[in-house]
Amino acid sequence: MKNFLRHTIEKKRQYLIEQLIALGAYREDDKQLFTLTLTELETEYEYFSKISQEKEASGRE
């Protein structure tokens, strides 16, 4: 069970890291990004996702 939970958390971390890079919030080689906890990554993703959506809604990019 421990390995399953660890694997699931790591998959979610990797997904959020990929999304933050795709949003342009971080660069691929930004080491700080890989040191963030899952909770920190979720917070960062929510923040940058909201900014991205606001830019799209206002017609800016």
Side-chain angles (χ1 to χ4, degrees):
M1 183 69 173
K2 282 185 182 180
N3 287 335
F4 176 75
L5 182 57
R6 186 180 315 221
H7 178 71
T8 303
I9 290 170
E10 192 53 40
K11 280 178 60 176
K12 180 141 189 192
R13 282 186 79 252
Q14 189 59 40
Y15 171 79
L16 291 169
I17 288 169
E18 290 170 4
Q19 293 302 305
L20 286 165
I21 291 169
L23 285 170
Y26 290 88
R27 292 191 343 232
E28 237 177 290
D29 61 350
D30 192 339
K31 292 179 183 176
Q32 176 193 3
L33 180 60
F34 295 92
T35 65
L36 298 176
T37 65
L38 178 58
T39 303
E40 292 168 329
L41 288 167
E42 289 172 330
T43 302
E44 291 288 294
Y45 177 72
E46 288 175 23
Y47 175 77
F48 285 107
S49 180
K50 183 178 178 183
I51 288 174
S52 178
Q53 289 172 358
E54 289 173 354
K55 284 182 181 178
E56 285 181 18
S58 67
R60 295 178 290 150
E61 273 202 43

